[in-house]
Amino acid sequence: MDQLNHLMEGFAGALTLANLMWVLIGALLGTAVGVLPGLGSSMAVALLLPVTFSLDPTAAFIMFAGIYFGGMFGDSTAGILLNTPGASSAIATTFEGHKMAKSGQAARALATAAMGAFIGGLIATTLVVFFAPSLVKLATAFGPAEYFALAIFAFVAISSVVSESIIKGLSALAIGLVLALIGVDGISGTVRYTSGLPQLFDGLSIVVITVGLLALGEVLHVASRVHRDPSAMRIPTSGRIRLSGADFRKALPAWLRGTAFGLPFGVIPAGGAEIPTFLAYGTEKRLAAKRKDPEFGTTGSINGVAAPEAAGNATAGMAMGALLALGLPVSATAALMIAAFQQYGMQPGPLLFERSGDMVWTLLASLFVGLVMLLIINMQFAGLWAKLLLVPRHYLYAGITVLSMLGVYAVSSSLIDLWFLLAIGLLGFMMRRYHFPVAPVLIAVILGPLAETSLRRALTVSEGSLAYLVSSPATIIMYLLLTAAVVLTMVKHAASRRRLRAEAQVLQDS
Amino acid sequence: MSTTQSTSTSADTVRITGFFSGRSELVVTALLLVLATALSIGTATMNVMGDTVPGPQFFPTIVCVLLYALAVAHGISVLRTRRFPQGADSSNPDFSAEMLAEMGDTERAEVFGSSSERPRRTGRVRMYSDWKTIGWIVGGIAAFILMLPVLGWIISAAGLFWVICKAFGSARPLFDLGVSFTVSSISYLAFGVGLGLSLPAGFLGGLL
């Protein structure tokens, strides 16, 4: 077993005192940002991404692994206690979790969620270890036409199939593509769209775009409504949390079912964990109805917390595999991780395992270490984490703003990047205000250059013949799947729009 | 003051007074058009190097066509329906609520929660977005960027933190001042001194 040897070497690299400390710091920071009300795991990654750049790559990625999973663990806490899930991947957990909290079982819900996240993450990471080399082998067989198809698949799936509106999704995608075009063209060396600013020759920094859209855009969006909307009520919890043997036996099948839903979505670019968590929740709901479970939907059933949480982390774990082996981001958060690799001059994909094998295996080993640490810190100190929900909103958002400025300035030490950050932040606010999805922008910024170079290479190889783009079975399958998904989405959207229009009630007093 | 407080709900008041009522989203259409135009000018005037085929103008041209098409489609959809946002809205446009509801076997409204409030036609009209708060924050950030090289990280970051606390409605300005300086000093020590990020010391640098 080649992989086991590699993994053992990885553990040897990960289990040094310094690296354990980076995992722990990452896990603590990730959980903290995930728990804070209104912030999710993508915010955790975006805010903490620039700060890690002063570390050496291995330490930075180890810390990142902690942040990545920590955010996922933390997301559900705010959902269960406040009914305000930090990220939409925690919504499905919130349905039953908050009902449990309201009926005095907050600690049980938190424990089920933490254990579910652990099991989902553990199974997914184990699978990544064993299947990443096969994925790499698959990816090395990919030519420019296949890579272009993969990029198009990710573009259309995230901007049109899963999002609320096709026009808005595609507009967001196009905005992202424009941002990605700025800078020197890699193939010909032509300077493009820099309006003469030498600072833009390397392109608009990915850190500026992610921090601006995800962090500053969110601050401005919350600010635009902070004096108008009421704030949520908190349900108190305290002390340590534990699961009884009976709870464990009841939840185990749900954890496994959830994991099974989560795993495939780690390699399909469908925006991340939202779809599998909802599928897992729906399955538990139907099963509960069949079994006539009286808790489900009333006082809250632990199965309804267990399955979505396991699904969410299983997706996150598998997404790590797709990211390392294929260089394919399946969600906005995964796109941020790719940005981190690019910042160090590394391109995730098949070559990464050859060129930086040591680092990849150390990273995979630290995912396991991180999961164990997260389980401990979430089970033992759940009450303490819940205290973070008491941080007043004004300190929270002031802190986010200052941290955004710090991160962007630290990366480039240039004031002009801060002005770009403010501009992108305003763009992020405008997109939130008018319900434009943000994920397509990030996917376009990360995959845009790949799409362009693979398209141009493919057309150079084929001397301009477009038929080359659909010449292999892999490309044909991808385009067919995509077309089917888009047609189905358009039919569904049209039906729901007709229904909404029929029941629309515009003004309260007319 | 008292009249607005008597309507304790946060329901927004709207009146159709002109062409742009409920159509402010045309701002986005305009942005798409500006981007498309800038991109086409940039592509047409590009100083192409090398003779690769397809060249550096090939992909931008596709994006350009896409942008113009989307701007038209978006403009039409905004013109067809006036939209008035209502109350708090926690929906996430990254995902179709309809799709998630179907997968989760729940009601559409449950996925992101829905506001029971509808905009009303009576009462004081105010903008959906609180531009005063946004203005404070954007102004604070702009002042921060201008002041950073002069005052250094500790003072300017503390100032930014304080302004944002104030904008978000904190009622304890003096206490906030203490928190601001604590945050900015700790971040300077942790990241500037500890991790070696280059944060400007400003005029304090000469004193320390």
Side-chain angles (χ1 to χ4, degrees):
Chain A
M1 294 304 273
D2 213 18
Q3 289 96 316
L4 273 183
N5 283 336
H6 283 308
L7 187 65
M8 286 307 138
E9 281 167 30
F11 270 113
L15 291 175
T16 63
L17 200 60
N19 285 347
L20 283 177
M21 192 190 72
W22 292 123
V23 181
L24 183 65
I25 293 179
L28 290 173
L29 285 175
T31 312
V33 179
V35 170
L36 288 169
L39 316 187
S41 45
S42 60
M43 173 78 97
V45 177
L47 272 184
L48 299 170
L49 174 89
V51 177
T52 57
F53 290 153
S54 54
L55 307 173
D56 71 278
T58 314
F61 286 115
I62 288 177
M63 188 165 144
F64 239 82
I67 296 171
Y68 183 64
F69 274 130
M72 297 290 295
F73 271 79
D75 271 350
S76 51
T77 307
I80 290 171
L81 299 180
L82 276 177
N83 204 16
T84 53
S88 40
S89 54
I91 292 176
T93 312
T94 307
F95 289 147
E96 287 300 294
H98 190 63
K99 288 198 182 86
M100 286 180 77
K102 274 200 294 199
S103 61
Q105 312 173 67
R108 232 174 121 215
L110 290 174
T112 315
M115 199 65 197
F118 175 74
I119 290 176
L122 189 70
I123 295 178
T125 314
T126 313
L127 282 179
V128 167
V129 166
F130 288 101
F131 286 104
S134 328
L135 271 182
V136 167
K137 220 164 274 166
L138 180 79
T140 39
F142 275 17
E146 282 82 8
Y147 267 109
F148 181 67
L150 205 59
I152 293 294
F153 191 95
F155 285 167
V156 178
I158 289 172
S159 69
S160 311
V161 178
V162 303
S163 76
E164 185 77 51
S165 147
I166 293 182
I167 294 178
K168 291 184 180 182
L170 285 176
S171 305
L173 184 81
I175 292 174
L177 289 174
V178 174
L179 294 178
L181 283 173
I182 296 171
V184 175
D185 166 39
I187 296 182
S188 67
T190 307
V191 179
R192 299 193 290 188
Y193 317 109
T194 59
S195 16
L197 287 171
Q199 291 94 333
L200 283 176
F201 280 10
D202 286 336
L204 200 53
S205 160
I206 198 90
V207 172
V208 171
I209 296 173
T210 53
V211 175
L213 278 182
L214 294 176
L216 205 53
E218 181 68 19
V219 170
L220 291 171
H221 178 64
V222 173
S224 78
R225 296 294 301 171
V226 71
H227 296 306
R228 311 237 157 130
D229 295 331
S231 53
M233 291 292 289
R234 194 180 76 101
I235 289 177
T237 179
S238 60
R240 286 174 50 187
I241 54 174
R242 55 168 73 87
L243 278 177
S244 69
D247 282 343
F248 198 89
R249 272 190 300 281
K250 187 179 178 206
L252 187 63
W255 282 323
L256 295 178
R257 280 193 294 267
T259 306
F261 277 115
L263 292 174
F265 282 90
V267 284
I268 303 172
E274 279 75 359
I275 294 176
T277 50
F278 272 87
L279 281 173
Y281 171 79
T283 311
E284 294 308 318
K285 190 172 182 183
R286 285 181 202 109
L287 283 174
K290 202 180 275 176
R291 286 198 211 111
K292 308 214 172 7
D293 183 346
E295 287 181 343
F296 208 101
T298 50
T299 54
S301 156
I302 57 171
N303 280 3
V305 177
E309 200 59 16
N313 251 30
T315 304
M318 277 307 267
M320 196 61 136
L323 185 154
L324 291 172
L326 298 174
L328 174 74
V330 299
S331 66
T333 320
L336 295 183
M337 296 289 283
I338 294 201
F341 277 95
Q342 287 173 345
Q343 194 74 25
Y344 282 105
M346 289 184 259
Q347 184 60 46
L351 290 176
L352 188 72
F353 277 78
E354 279 172 34
R355 285 188 193 150
S356 326
D358 289 353
M359 204 209 70
V360 174
W361 288 105
T362 311
L363 174 63
L364 287 175
S366 19
L367 288 179
F368 287 105
V369 179
L371 281 170
V372 175
M373 279 187 182
L374 280 164
L375 183 66
I376 297 170
I377 59 180
N378 278 280
M379 288 294 240
Q380 294 294 316
F381 306 108
L384 220 56
W385 289 119
K387 292 243 165 22
L388 279 178
L389 296 174
L390 292 173
V391 175
R393 270 213 286 202
H394 47 266
Y395 292 146
L396 193 59
Y397 288 98
I400 293 172
T401 314
V402 169
L403 204 54
S404 316
M405 296 293 150
L406 174 90
V408 167
Y409 188 79
V411 170
S412 61
S413 297
S414 86
L415 289 173
I416 195 157
D417 271 2
L418 292 179
W419 290 112
F420 289 141
L421 175 70
L422 183 55
I424 300 276
L426 284 167
L427 174 73
F429 165 63
M430 192 178 84
M431 293 180 71
R432 279 178 176 76
R433 164 66 181 83
Y434 293 112
H435 297 278
F436 279 71
V438 177
V441 182
L442 298 173
I443 297 292
V445 167
I446 297 293
L447 287 183
L450 175 81
E452 179 177 11
T453 43
S454 50
L455 176 63
R456 279 162 70 184
R457 287 222 177 97
L459 291 180
T460 311
V461 172
S462 71
E463 291 171 336
S465 156
L466 287 173
Y468 178 74
L469 293 176
V470 285
S471 59
S472 75
T475 51
I476 295 175
I477 292 173
M478 277 194 264
Y479 288 124
L480 282 180
L481 276 177
L482 197 58
T483 317
V486 170
V487 170
L488 188 70
T489 312
M490 286 170 109
V491 172
K492 292 249 170 197
H493 276 205
S496 83
R497 191 148 309 155
R498 264 198 302 278
R499 200 167 60 243
L500 283 179
R501 191 158 285 174
E503 64 197 31
Q505 172 207 348
V506 179
L507 295 172
Q508 200 167 49
D509 42 9
S510 66
Chain B
M1 274 309 268
S2 57
T3 50
T4 53
Q5 272 165 355
S6 63
T7 55
S8 58
T9 62
S10 63
D12 297 273
T13 300
V14 291
R15 249 174 246 129
I16 296 175
T17 50
F19 177 75
F20 285 103
S21 301
R23 285 180 182 151
S24 63
E25 199 176 329
L26 286 171
V27 177
V28 186
T29 314
L31 177 86
L32 291 175
L33 281 176
V34 167
L35 269 184
T37 312
L39 199 64
S40 29
I41 294 173
T43 310
T45 60
M46 193 184 291
N47 193 359
V48 180
M49 316 242 276
D51 52 359
T52 46
V53 179
Q57 291 158 313
F58 174 64
F59 195 70
T61 313
I62 302 175
V63 179
C64 224
V65 173
L66 183 69
L67 267 175
Y68 276 119
L70 285 168
V72 172
H74 181 254
I76 291 173
S77 80
V78 177
L79 288 178
R80 281 181 61 187
T81 323
R82 292 180 196 263
R83 275 169 218 282
F84 300 99
Q86 20 179 302
D89 183 1
S90 58
S91 74
N92 176 358
D94 280 344
F95 291 92
S96 155
E98 194 82 24
M99 178 190 68
L100 292 181
E102 196 177 314
M103 286 171 174
D105 197 15
T106 46
E107 292 297 312
R108 186 181 198 281
E110 268 179 56
V111 176
F112 295 117
S114 72
S115 170
S116 55
E117 290 159 358
R118 300 272 158 189
R120 49 181 81 230
R121 212 177 282 215
T122 50
R124 191 173 67 114
V125 178
R126 39 174 205 181
M127 305 273 264
Y128 178 75
S129 298
D130 177 356
W131 284 101
K132 196 176 144 204
T133 309
I134 298 173
W136 270 106
I137 290 173
V138 172
I141 293 174
F144 165 82
I145 303 174
L146 290 174
M147 285 297 135
L148 185 61
V150 185
L151 296 179
W153 173 262
I154 295 181
I155 296 178
S156 14
L160 177 63
F161 194 98
W162 189 84
V163 167
I164 289 172
C165 285
K166 184 100 186 96
F168 269 83
S170 168
R172 298 157 75 189
L174 274 178
F175 183 77
D176 288 349
L177 204 62
V179 177
S180 305
F181 272 97
T182 315
V183 167
S184 71
S185 310
I186 288 179
S187 60
Y188 187 79
L189 286 176
F191 298 111
V193 181
L195 285 176
L197 303 181
S198 60
L199 297 173
F203 72 88
L204 283 176
L207 303 173
L208 288 174

Coordinates of all heavy atoms in Angstrom, one line a residue, chain A residues 224-225 227-230 433 506-509, chain B residues 7-15 83-89 115-130:
Chain A
S224 N -26.0 48.1 6.1 CA -27.1 48.8 5.4 C -28.5 48.4 6.1 O -29.5 49.1 5.8 CB -27.1 48.3 3.9 OG -27.7 47.0 3.8
R225 N -28.5 47.4 6.9 CA -29.7 47.0 7.5 C -29.7 47.0 9.1 O -30.7 46.7 9.7 CB -30.2 45.6 7.0 CG -30.5 45.5 5.6 CD -31.7 46.3 5.2 NE -32.9 45.9 5.9 CZ -34.1 46.6 5.8 NH1 -34.1 47.7 5.1 NH2 -35.1 46.2 6.4
H227 N -29.6 49.1 11.5 CA -30.5 49.9 12.3 C -32.0 49.7 11.9 O -32.9 50.4 12.4 CB -30.2 51.4 12.1 CG -28.8 51.7 12.6 ND1 -28.4 51.4 13.9 CD2 -27.7 52.3 12.0 CE1 -27.2 51.8 14.1 NE2 -26.7 52.3 12.9
R228 N -32.3 48.7 11.0 CA -33.6 48.5 10.5 C -34.2 47.2 11.0 O -35.4 47.0 11.1 CB -33.7 48.6 9.0 CG -33.0 49.8 8.5 CD -33.9 50.7 7.7 NE -33.4 52.0 7.6 CZ -33.2 52.7 6.5 NH1 -33.5 52.2 5.4 NH2 -32.7 54.0 6.6
D229 N -33.4 46.2 11.1 CA -33.9 44.8 11.4 C -33.6 44.5 12.8 O -32.6 44.8 13.4 CB -33.2 43.8 10.5 CG -33.5 44.0 9.0 OD1 -34.6 44.5 8.7 OD2 -32.6 43.7 8.2
P230 N -34.6 43.7 13.4 CA -34.4 43.2 14.8 C -33.3 42.2 14.9 O -33.0 41.5 13.9 CB -35.7 42.7 15.2 CG -36.3 42.3 13.9 CD -35.8 43.2 12.9
R433 N -27.2 43.3 -2.2 CA -28.4 44.1 -2.1 C -29.4 43.6 -3.2 O -30.6 43.6 -3.0 CB -28.0 45.6 -2.3 CG -29.2 46.5 -2.6 CD -30.2 46.6 -1.5 NE -31.3 47.5 -1.9 CZ -32.3 47.1 -2.6 NH1 -32.4 45.9 -3.0 NH2 -33.3 48.0 -2.9
V506 N -48.0 42.4 -3.3 CA -46.9 43.3 -3.3 C -47.0 44.2 -2.1 O -46.1 44.3 -1.3 CB -46.9 44.2 -4.6 CG1 -45.8 45.1 -4.5 CG2 -46.7 43.2 -5.8
L507 N -48.1 44.9 -1.8 CA -48.2 45.8 -0.7 C -49.1 45.3 0.4 O -50.1 44.7 0.1 CB -48.6 47.2 -1.2 CG -47.6 47.9 -2.2 CD1 -48.3 49.1 -2.8 CD2 -46.4 48.2 -1.5
Q508 N -48.7 45.6 1.6 CA -49.5 45.1 2.7 C -50.9 45.7 2.8 O -51.9 45.1 3.1 CB -48.8 45.5 4.0 CG -49.2 44.7 5.2 CD -48.2 45.0 6.3 OE1 -47.9 46.1 6.7 NE2 -47.7 43.9 7.0
D509 N -51.0 47.0 2.4 CA -52.3 47.7 2.6 C -53.0 47.9 1.3 O -53.6 49.0 1.1 CB -52.1 49.0 3.4 CG -50.9 49.7 2.9 OD1 -50.3 49.3 1.9 OD2 -50.5 50.7 3.6
Chain B
T7 N -44.6 53.2 14.6 CA -44.7 52.0 13.8 C -43.5 51.2 14.1 O -42.4 51.3 13.5 CB -44.7 52.4 12.3 OG1 -43.5 53.1 12.0 CG2 -45.9 53.1 11.8
S8 N -43.7 50.3 15.1 CA -42.5 49.6 15.6 C -41.9 48.6 14.7 O -40.8 48.1 14.8 CB -42.9 48.9 16.9 OG -43.9 48.0 16.7
T9 N -42.7 48.1 13.7 CA -42.2 47.1 12.8 C -41.2 47.8 11.8 O -41.1 49.0 11.7 CB -43.3 46.5 11.9 OG1 -43.9 47.6 11.1 CG2 -44.4 45.9 12.7
S10 N -40.4 46.9 11.2 CA -39.4 47.4 10.3 C -39.9 47.4 8.9 O -39.1 47.5 7.9 CB -38.1 46.6 10.4 OG -38.4 45.3 10.0
A11 N -41.2 47.3 8.7 CA -41.8 47.2 7.3 C -41.4 48.5 6.6 O -41.5 49.6 7.1 CB -43.3 47.1 7.4
D12 N -41.0 48.4 5.4 CA -40.6 49.5 4.6 C -41.8 50.1 3.9 O -42.7 49.4 3.5 CB -39.6 49.1 3.6 CG -38.3 48.6 4.2 OD1 -37.5 49.4 4.6 OD2 -38.2 47.4 4.5
T13 N -41.8 51.4 3.8 CA -42.8 52.1 3.1 C -42.4 52.5 1.7 O -41.3 52.9 1.5 CB -43.2 53.4 3.8 OG1 -43.5 53.1 5.2 CG2 -44.3 54.2 3.2
V14 N -43.3 52.1 0.7 CA -42.9 52.4 -0.6 C -44.1 53.1 -1.3 O -45.2 53.0 -1.0 CB -42.6 51.1 -1.5 CG1 -41.3 50.5 -1.0 CG2 -43.7 50.2 -1.4
R15 N -43.7 54.0 -2.3 CA -44.7 54.6 -3.1 C -44.1 54.7 -4.5 O -42.9 54.9 -4.7 CB -44.9 56.0 -2.6 CG -46.3 56.2 -2.0 CD -46.5 57.6 -1.4 NE -46.6 57.5 0.1 CZ -45.9 58.2 0.9 NH1 -45.0 59.0 0.5 NH2 -46.1 58.0 2.2
R83 N -39.6 45.9 -8.1 CA -39.4 45.1 -6.9 C -39.1 46.0 -5.7 O -38.3 46.9 -5.7 CB -38.1 44.2 -7.1 CG -38.5 42.9 -7.8 CD -37.2 42.2 -8.2 NE -37.4 41.6 -9.5 CZ -38.1 40.5 -9.7 NH1 -38.6 39.8 -8.7 NH2 -38.2 40.0 -10.9
F84 N -39.9 45.7 -4.6 CA -39.7 46.4 -3.4 C -39.2 45.4 -2.3 O -40.0 44.6 -1.9 CB -41.0 47.1 -2.9 CG -41.5 48.0 -4.0 CD1 -42.5 47.7 -4.9 CD2 -40.9 49.3 -4.1 CE1 -42.9 48.6 -5.8 CE2 -41.3 50.2 -5.0 CZ -42.3 49.8 -5.9
P85 N -38.0 45.5 -1.8 CA -37.5 44.5 -0.8 C -38.3 44.8 0.5 O -38.8 45.9 0.8 CB -36.1 44.9 -0.7 CG -35.9 46.3 -1.2 CD -37.0 46.5 -2.2
Q86 N -38.4 43.7 1.2 CA -39.3 43.8 2.4 C -38.5 43.2 3.6 O -38.1 42.1 3.7 CB -40.5 43.0 2.2 CG -40.3 42.0 1.1 CD -41.5 41.1 0.9 OE1 -42.0 40.4 1.8 NE2 -42.0 41.1 -0.3
G87 N -38.3 44.1 4.6 CA -37.8 43.7 5.9 C -36.4 42.9 5.8 O -35.7 43.0 4.8
A88 N -36.1 42.2 6.9 CA -34.9 41.4 6.9 C -35.0 40.3 5.9 O -36.0 39.7 5.7 CB -34.7 40.8 8.3
D89 N -33.8 40.1 5.3 CA -33.8 39.1 4.2 C -32.5 38.2 4.4 O -31.4 38.7 4.2 CB -33.8 39.7 2.9 CG -33.9 38.7 1.7 OD1 -33.9 37.5 2.0 OD2 -33.9 39.1 0.6
S115 N -39.8 36.9 5.6 CA -40.3 38.0 6.4 C -41.8 38.0 6.2 O -42.4 38.0 5.1 CB -39.7 39.2 5.9 OG -40.3 40.3 6.4
S116 N -42.5 38.1 7.3 CA -44.0 38.2 7.3 C -44.4 39.6 6.9 O -45.5 39.9 6.6 CB -44.6 37.8 8.6 OG -44.1 38.6 9.6
E117 N -43.4 40.5 7.0 CA -43.7 41.9 6.7 C -43.8 42.2 5.2 O -42.9 41.7 4.5 CB -42.7 42.8 7.4 CG -42.8 42.8 8.9 CD -41.6 43.3 9.5 OE1 -40.6 43.6 8.8 OE2 -41.5 43.4 10.7
R118 N -44.7 43.0 4.8 CA -44.8 43.4 3.4 C -44.6 44.9 3.4 O -45.0 45.6 4.4 CB -46.2 43.1 2.8 CG -46.5 41.7 2.8 CD -46.0 41.1 1.6 NE -45.9 39.6 1.8 CZ -45.3 38.8 0.9 NH1 -44.8 39.3 -0.2 NH2 -45.2 37.5 1.1
P119 N -44.0 45.5 2.4 CA -43.9 46.9 2.4 C -45.3 47.6 2.4 O -46.3 47.0 1.9 CB -43.2 47.2 1.1 CG -43.1 45.9 0.3 CD -43.5 44.8 1.2
R120 N -45.5 48.7 3.0 CA -46.8 49.4 3.0 C -46.8 50.7 2.2 O -45.7 51.2 1.9 CB -47.2 49.6 4.5 CG -46.1 50.3 5.3 CD -46.6 50.4 6.7 NE -46.4 49.2 7.5 CZ -47.4 48.7 8.2 NH1 -48.6 49.3 8.3 NH2 -47.2 47.7 9.0
R121 N -48.0 51.2 2.0 CA -48.0 52.4 1.1 C -48.1 53.7 1.9 O -48.0 54.7 1.4 CB -49.3 52.2 0.2 CG -49.1 52.9 -1.1 CD -50.3 52.6 -2.0 NE -50.3 51.3 -2.5 CZ -50.8 51.0 -3.7 NH1 -51.3 52.0 -4.5 NH2 -50.8 49.8 -4.2
T122 N -48.4 53.5 3.2 CA -48.6 54.7 4.1 C -47.3 54.8 5.0 O -46.6 53.8 5.2 CB -49.8 54.6 5.0 OG1 -49.7 53.3 5.6 CG2 -51.1 54.7 4.2
G123 N -47.1 56.0 5.5 CA -46.0 56.2 6.4 C -44.9 56.9 5.7 O -45.0 57.3 4.5
R124 N -43.7 57.0 6.4 CA -42.6 57.8 5.9 C -41.8 56.9 4.9 O -41.4 55.8 5.3 CB -41.7 58.2 7.0 CG -40.7 59.2 6.6 CD -40.0 59.8 7.9 NE -39.2 58.7 8.5 CZ -37.9 58.7 8.6 NH1 -37.2 59.7 8.1 NH2 -37.2 57.7 9.2
V125 N -41.5 57.4 3.8 CA -40.7 56.6 2.8 C -39.3 56.7 3.2 O -38.8 57.8 3.5 CB -40.9 57.2 1.4 CG1 -40.0 56.4 0.4 CG2 -42.4 57.0 1.0
R126 N -38.5 55.6 3.3 CA -37.1 55.7 3.4 C -36.4 54.7 2.6 O -37.1 53.7 2.2 CB -36.7 55.6 4.9 CG -37.5 54.6 5.7 CD -36.9 54.4 7.0 NE -37.3 53.0 7.5 CZ -37.0 52.5 8.6 NH1 -36.3 53.2 9.5 NH2 -37.4 51.3 8.9
M127 N -35.2 54.9 2.3 CA -34.5 54.0 1.4 C -34.4 52.6 2.1 O -34.3 52.5 3.3 CB -33.0 54.5 1.2 CG -33.0 55.9 0.6 SD -33.1 55.9 -1.1 CE -31.3 55.9 -1.6
Y128 N -34.4 51.6 1.3 CA -34.2 50.2 1.9 C -32.9 50.1 2.6 O -32.7 49.6 3.7 CB -34.3 49.2 0.8 CG -34.2 47.8 1.3 CD1 -35.2 47.2 2.1 CD2 -33.0 47.1 1.1 CE1 -35.0 45.9 2.6 CE2 -32.8 45.8 1.6 CZ -33.8 45.2 2.3 OH -33.7 43.9 2.8
S129 N -31.8 50.6 1.9 CA -30.5 50.5 2.5 C -30.3 51.8 3.3 O -30.7 52.9 2.9 CB -29.4 50.4 1.4 OG -29.6 49.3 0.7
D130 N -29.6 51.6 4.5 CA -29.3 52.7 5.4 C -28.0 53.4 4.9 O -26.9 53.0 5.3 CB -29.2 52.2 6.8 CG -28.8 53.2 7.8 OD1 -28.6 54.3 7.4 OD2 -28.8 52.8 9.0

